[in-house]
Amino acid sequence: MSLKLENATIYTGRGEKFIQSAIVIEENKIVAVGEEAANRNAEVVIDGNGKTILPGFFDMHIHLGMDGIADPFAQIATDSQATSAYRHQANAQKQLKSGVTSVRNLGSKWHIDLAYRDAVNSGLLIGPTVYGSGQPIVMTGGHGYPLASEADGEEEVRKAARQTLKQGADVLKLMATGGVMTPGVDPGSPQLSEKEMRAAVEEALHAGKTTASHAQGTIGIQNAVRAGITTIEHGIFLDDETIELMIKYGTVLVPTLAAPYYIVKNADSGAIPPHAVKKAIYCYEAHKESFRKAVEAGVKIAAGTDAGTPFNLHGDFAKELELMHEGGMSIRDIIASATYDAAAVLNVQAETGSLEKGKTADFIVLSADPEENLSAFRAVEAVYKGGEFIHGNQHKESIYTK
């Protein structure tokens, strides 16, 4: 069956914007966009007057096994494997409803994200497309160790990388520094060394996979960049030298501005572990300033929330986009960072991530244009994945008419 949505505003994800335009879908592919689509017939035609169509979002940093409760590590410690698997599915549904059709899951105990990915890919479950890291690789006692594989020295890290790739990981996640949530570690202090991370990067490259590094402190970020890591997660303490290094290496920043924002916002709740509150408050302003400087310098950026951390709920992807706009990014650049540029990080931009002829029909319909109203990112009226309508109120005549 062919489907045409017409009279809508369309952002392709690659900087282009079409007004009063159209998109045509056949099976699971986009067959026409823009003027070609407007002049093409389809079996089903939906009037999208007043609506805006975007590619499905990519959230490039989430934890499907964490709900966003005040102490997620306590949750991980008590969950069984079965409970964690159910949690992955429940949180993935929240992601879909917010317009996120693809996620990069950067840390699940027992590699459950990889099993969940396979369940979605096989059709057993309906969910977003998952690119998973399985268990992160950390030094002994390093940040995130409750859900990670601990390894010390180049050879142990190399073996852990190979074992994780054997489990089917799409991306290797490594911890270059301490972090906010783990007790007894400093976000600014280096952890895995440059040589240790390079060993994992080599194994990922040999397997055709990408890498991500939790990296908050300046020295650790530089270690990760020089090691060849694909993406820096968080990037809280960025100085000019580090920003120049990232540009030189083509390293992508996934800022996760929402993670410290929600801890600081809920600091007085009394529920978040005190060590996490103290560290988040210490990092908060530096994080915002680092992001602003990275944007101004032209660092490549992909959108990610770190959903699952305290009060940072799945399904609230729009908050990250709002914070990125506050930090100086234009709306079109934000859309690109959450669509095509994110797909490029995962090396899947030839198949998905933008509204272009021949690509997979993952797209969302908003009730307004985000360039006119930032809150439009929260007004997701319909979600299509692989050409199939999977969420929203698309069939209500008050919103769409054939």
Side-chain angles (χ1 to χ4, degrees), residues 299-344:
V299 172
K300 296 178 182 179
I301 294 171
T305 61
D306 208 1
T309 53
F311 295 93
N312 187 6
L313 304 180
H314 294 275
D316 191 23
F317 186 67
K319 187 61 186 181
E320 185 70 22
L321 307 187
E322 292 163 0
L323 292 171
M324 291 165 74
H325 188 53
E326 288 179 18
M329 281 190 79
S330 72
I331 297 298
R332 292 198 201 185
D333 285 347
I334 289 169
I335 291 171
S337 78
T339 57
Y340 182 81
D341 292 348

Side-chain angles (χ1 to χ4, degrees), residues 135-142 144-146 148-152 156-157 160 163:
Q135 294 191 167
I137 299 170
V138 309
M139 74 177 198
T140 297
Y145 73 85
S149 302
E150 294 175 295
D152 302 301
E156 280 193 17
V157 170
Q163 290 173 331

Side-chain angles (χ1 to χ4, degrees), residues 152-164:
D152 302 301
E154 292 176 60
E155 293 311 308
E156 280 193 17
V157 170
R158 188 180 300 277
K159 184 169 184 178
R162 290 174 174 173
Q163 290 173 331
T164 307

